[in-house]
Amino acid sequence: MQIHDLPYPDPGLPDARSGPRFLFWLGRNQLGGQLKSLAWGLLHFLSVASLPYGVGFAVQAVVDGSGSRLALAGGLILLLGAALALGDTMLHRTAVTNWITSAARVQQLIARRTAALGAALTRRVAAGEVIAVSTGDVEKIGWFIEALSRFAAAALTVVVVCVGLVLYQPALGSVVAIGMPVLALAILPLLPRATRRADQQREKAGRATELASDTVAGLRVLRGIGGEELFLDRYRRASQEVRTAAVHNARMWSLISAVQVLLPGLLLIAVVWYGIELARQGRITVGDLVTVYSAVMILNYPLRHFAEIAMAYSFSRPSAQRAARVLSLERVTEPGGLRAAEAPAGDLYDPVTGLLAPAGRLTAVVCGDPDLAGRLADRLGGHPTIAGTGTGSDKGSGTSPKTTDSGSGSGSDPDERTAPVTALPSVLLGGVPLDELPLDTARAAVLVQDKDPVLLSGTLAELFDVPSSGSVRPEEALTAAQCADVLDALSQASLDDDPMNVRITERGRSLSGGQRQRLALARSLVTDPEALVLDEPTSAVDSHTEARIADGVRALRSGRTTVVLTSSPLLLDRADRVVLVHDGTVAAVGEHRELVLTEPRYRAVVTRETDEEAAPATQSQNGGTSLRGEPDIGDAGIEELTEIEETA
C-alpha cells in the first residue's frame, strides 16, 4: 500500500483484545512495507557500519606507504557512501509510508466503528477519548509501526558487526561483542517506570482534551451564565497537570538517554585502552585499532534505535489500548444472528417503553426529560441501549434483557477487561428487530436526526448528496424545511447566484443555529427513509416558521412513518398521534388537545407549568371537574390553546 492509494478498500478486521495484540495485528498487516523498510535499513546501517573498515584500511595504507591500497580504500569509501545515501533515502521513504498508511488504517477503523455505533458510542466511551484516539493516538501508533523495521535493521546490523569484529580481531572484537548486549539491555530496568510515567501523561492529556472540547462546545452558554472563567481555570489546572506529568516523563527519558551516552563512552575507553596494549605488544596494527575504534563509535548510531523503539512502544501502548477499547465495542445482535439484507416496513415499536409509531403516520412523542428523549431516539434508530443507562427504565416489555460480551467497557483503566454487558430488547420495525438487520439495511430503514445535527464542510449540493430513495428532490425538502431565507442568503454569496454551489463552512459555523437546523432537517427529508425519527427538529426556530415547518413535514412525509420527539405545541397539534413517555414507559396516548385537557403530566411538560401552577389542576382532576363544572386546564393551558388556535 502506497500513500497515493489511500484510503484502504478494506482496512481489515482488527484484533482488539488488547493494545499489544492490536499493535501486532497492525505490524502483520504492514508486512510488505516492513520488509521493504528492513531491506533498505540493512543497506543503510551496514554501509554505515562498514565505513570504519574503509577508514582503517586507508590509515594502514598510509602507514605502509601503499598508494594503490590507498586508492582502493578511497573507492571503497565512495561506494559505501553512495550505498549509505541510497539506503538512507529509501529507508526514510518506506518508513514514512509505513507510518502514514498504518495511521490511516487506524483512522479508517475508528471511523467505521464510530459509524457503526453512532450516538451510542459516546455513552460507552468518552467523546474526548474518541477524539484523542483519532488524532494524537494514531500518530503514536504509526510511530511504533514505522520504528519497528528500523529497529530490526539496527539490531541485525549490531549482530553482524559484532560477529565481524570477532572474526576480524578476536581479542578486541570479543570485548565489543560482550559490551554491546550490555549497552542494549542496560535501559530495560528503567523502562517500566518510564512507561508508567508515559501512561500518566497520556491519561492526563486525554482528560484535558475532553475538558477542552466540552468547554469549547458550551462556550456560548458558559458566557451567558458567567461561567467562562470557572471552566477556563479548570482547564488551566488540567493543563498544568499535563505539563507536570510531561516534565516527569521527560526526566526519565533524559536519564535513559544519559545512560546510552555514558555506557558506550565507557566501552570506548575500554576498547582504546586494551587496543593500545595490544598494539604495543604487536598483536594488532594501528589500522586494526582504528577500525575497531571507529566501529564502536559508529555502533552508537544503530544503538540509539534501541532507545527509540522503547520510547515508541511506551507511548504507543496506551494509545493502542485506547484504540483497541473503542474498536472492541460491538453492535449488539440477537442470538439468532443477522437476517438477510431486506428492508422491513410497518409499525415502529419499542418494547422497552411500549412506544408504537403506526406505519404511514406522524407520531409525536413528549418526554419530560430531554436526556430520556435523546436516548429514546437512539433506541428507535437501532442503537442498542445497555441496561442501567437506557431509556430510564428496564421495564416495560416483560422480556428479559439479552446479555452479550461486547469487549471493553467504559472503565477508566484501558487494560481492564469488562464483564458482559446487558442490552435491552431491540426496537421492532414491521415486527423485525433492528438488531437482527445488517447495519446498512437498518440505517436505510430508520434514520435518526440528532438534537444537534452536524453539517460537514462542502457545498450545499454536496450536503444533499446522500443515500436516498430518490423520491424527494432537494428543492422539495428545502421548501418543506422553510429554507427560502437560507437560500437567499447563500445566493448573495454565490458568484453564479446558485446557492447550491456555495460552500458551507465546517459544522455550518457561518450559519445561524436555526439555519443549520433547517438545512439538517431538509437533508434528513431528502433521504426519505421508511421511518424518520426527529429529535427536537425546530428548537432553534421561531414559532411562525415552526408552524410552517410542521405543515411542510406532514405533507412531504405523507404515507411514511415519522416520529418527532418534541414538546412544542405547534408540532404536537399537527401530529396524527401524540404519546407521553413518563418514567421510561408510555403513560398516555391521544391527540394533543385531548391530552392537554385530560393529562396533567402532559400539560405540565407542554405548557411549562411550575409545581405551584400544576397543583390546583391536579386537585381538580381528582374531583373530575373544576368549581366551574368544566375541565380545569389552568391559565397556562388556556393561553397555550389560544396560541395554537391563533397560529392555526
Side-chain angles (χ1 to χ4, degrees):
M1 171 63 69
Q2 299 298 319
I3 296 177
H4 58 77
D5 295 326
L6 293 174
Y8 285 93
D10 180 12
L13 183 63
D15 184 352
R17 289 176 290 177
S18 66
R21 287 177 181 271
F22 180 59
L23 290 175
F24 176 75
W25 178 84
L26 279 177
R28 188 180 61 196
N29 279 270
Q30 301 280 135
L31 187 58
Q34 294 285 355
L35 292 177
K36 290 180 182 178
S37 183
L38 176 62
W40 290 115
L42 285 174
L43 176 62
H44 171 64
F45 287 118
L46 289 176
S47 298
V48 172
S50 300
L51 282 176
Y53 178 77
V55 173
F57 189 64
V59 170
Q60 190 62 41
V62 171
V63 171
D64 296 339
S66 174
S68 59
R69 283 192 295 169
L70 181 61
L72 181 61
L76 178 61
I77 292 175
L78 288 176
L79 180 62
L80 291 175
L84 187 155
L86 176 63
D88 190 21
T89 300
M90 298 306 299
L91 173 62
H92 178 75
R93 288 176 60 91
T94 54
V96 170
T97 298
N98 288 336
W99 186 340
I100 294 177
T101 53
S102 59
R105 185 189 296 271
V106 177
Q107 284 185 322
Q108 281 188 249
L109 292 171
I110 294 295
R112 174 183 291 185
R113 182 56 51 199
T114 301
L117 294 174
L121 173 65
T122 55
R123 285 196 297 275
R124 301 175 70 177
V125 294
E129 183 171 341
V130 179
I131 295 174
V133 170
S134 59
T135 54
D137 284 340
V138 296
E139 295 186 4
K140 300 296 187 298
I141 295 172
W143 176 27
F144 175 75
I145 299 300
E146 173 264 335
L148 197 58
S149 56
R150 288 191 290 111
F151 163 73
L156 288 175
T157 299
V158 170
V159 172
V160 170
V161 171
C162 288
V163 172
L165 288 178
V166 171
L167 297 177
Y168 178 69
Q169 280 297 332
L172 279 180
S174 299
V175 174
V176 176
I178 295 173
M180 281 299 165
V182 175
L183 298 183
L185 301 177
I187 63 172
L188 289 183
L190 301 175
L191 286 181
R193 190 173 181 182
T195 302
R196 286 194 299 270
R197 291 192 177 186
D199 291 347
Q200 292 173 359
Q201 178 188 351
R202 298 299 301 167
E203 180 181 356
K204 292 182 182 297
R207 291 176 181 173
T209 300
E210 183 177 356
L211 180 59
S213 62
D214 291 343
T215 302
V216 172
L219 193 58
R220 181 178 300 178
V221 177
L222 292 175
R223 287 175 176 172
I225 64 176
E228 181 180 3
E229 286 299 325
L230 174 63
F231 275 80
L232 288 179
D233 287 340
R234 290 183 181 178
Y235 179 73
R236 290 190 188 100
R237 289 195 297 270
S239 179
Q240 289 303 312
E241 291 179 0
V242 176
R243 182 189 63 83
T244 302
V247 170
H248 290 166
N249 188 33
R251 286 175 179 171
M252 181 55 63
W253 287 109
S254 65
L255 176 60
I256 292 176
S257 299
V259 169
Q260 287 215 313
V261 172
L262 175 63
L263 293 183
L266 295 178
L267 177 62
L268 192 62
I269 292 174
V271 168
V272 171
W273 177 80
Y274 186 48
I276 291 175
E277 290 296 324
L278 293 178
R280 286 178 178 177
Q281 298 172 11
R283 297 171 59 183
I284 63 173
T285 64
V286 175
D288 295 335
L289 177 59
V290 171
T291 298
V292 176
Y293 172 83
S294 300
V296 175
M297 289 287 295
I298 291 295
L299 282 179
N300 286 329
Y301 172 55
L303 276 178
R304 288 205 298 268
H305 290 77
F306 285 72
E308 183 192 10
I309 195 65
M311 183 180 294
Y313 180 74
S314 297
F315 278 94
S316 65
R317 188 183 64 83
S319 298
Q321 294 282 13
R322 274 192 291 271
R325 180 169 164 231
V326 174
L327 294 174
S328 64
L329 299 176
E330 295 290 345
R331 181 169 176 252
V332 181
T333 58
E334 295 285 345
L338 297 179
R339 294 173 180 255
E342 181 180 351
D347 297 342
L348 186 65
Y349 175 68
D350 178 20
V352 174
T353 60
L355 172 64
L356 174 65
R361 300 181 65 185
L362 174 59
T363 302
V365 181
V366 176
C367 300
D369 182 5
D371 292 334
L372 172 61
R375 293 194 296 269
L376 178 57
D378 289 340
R379 278 189 51 76
L380 293 176
H383 301 292
T385 305
I386 304 304
T389 61
T391 57
S393 175
D394 293 346
K395 59 186 179 180
S397 66
T399 305
S400 61
K402 307 185 297 270
T403 300
T404 181
D405 185 3
S406 61
S408 300
S410 56
S412 57
D413 185 2
D415 296 321
E416 180 183 2
R417 304 307 298 167
T418 60
V421 297
T422 302
L424 301 177
S426 172
V427 169
L428 307 177
L429 179 62
V432 178
L434 292 181
D435 280 354
E436 292 188 8
L437 295 174
L439 183 60
D440 294 342
T441 305
R443 290 286 171 82
V446 182
L447 173 67
V448 177
Q449 177 176 303
D450 295 334
K451 185 177 302 182
D452 185 21
V454 175
L455 302 182
L456 301 179
S457 60
T459 64
L460 194 59
E462 293 172 343
L463 178 67
F464 288 95
D465 186 16
V466 293
S468 63
S469 66
S471 300
V472 178
R473 294 181 292 108
E475 295 78 8
E476 297 174 334
L478 289 166
T479 301
Q482 299 299 310
C483 296
D485 61 320
V486 183
L487 297 178
D488 291 340
L490 293 177
S491 296
Q492 297 176 5
S494 175
L495 297 178
D496 55 1
D497 294 330
D498 186 359
M500 303 301 289
N501 295 329
V502 176
R503 188 170 186 82
I504 306 297
T505 57
E506 180 185 4
R507 300 182 67 90
R509 298 187 188 279
S510 59
L511 305 172
S512 66
Q515 290 174 330
R516 289 196 299 268
Q517 199 171 57
R518 283 178 284 162
L519 285 178
L521 175 60
R523 178 181 58 186
S524 299
L525 294 174
V526 164
T527 61
D528 190 35
E530 178 66 29
L532 176 62
V533 180
L534 304 173
D535 186 6
E536 293 289 356
T538 58
S539 59
V541 301
D542 59 83
S543 58
H544 297 287
T545 304
E546 187 177 31
R548 293 194 295 269
I549 290 176
D551 293 331
V553 171
R554 180 184 176 91
L556 191 63
R557 292 287 299 172
S558 177
R560 289 290 207 179
T561 305
T562 307
V563 179
V564 181
L565 290 96
T566 182
S567 60
S568 168
L570 297 172
L571 290 176
L572 295 171
D573 190 53
R574 286 158 175 79
D576 299 320
R577 192 169 184 266
V578 179
V579 180
L580 172 64
V581 177
H582 183 72
D583 287 340
T585 57
V586 172
V589 179
E591 294 184 353
H592 168 62
R593 300 187 183 220
E594 172 191 354
L595 293 177
V596 167
L597 296 174
T598 61
E599 179 54 62
R601 292 171 296 184
Y602 178 84
R603 181 169 60 249
V605 175
V606 174
T607 63
R608 279 72 169 177
E609 281 184 344
T610 63
D611 294 338
E612 292 77 7
E613 294 171 335
T618 303
Q619 293 174 1
S620 65
Q621 283 294 327
N622 293 334
T625 58
S626 67
L627 295 176
R628 294 172 293 184
E630 298 174 354
D632 187 358
I633 64 174
D635 293 339
I638 295 173
E639 293 173 0
E640 187 269 343
L641 284 177
T642 304
E643 178 186 357
I644 292 174
E645 292 172 354
E646 291 176 352
T647 305

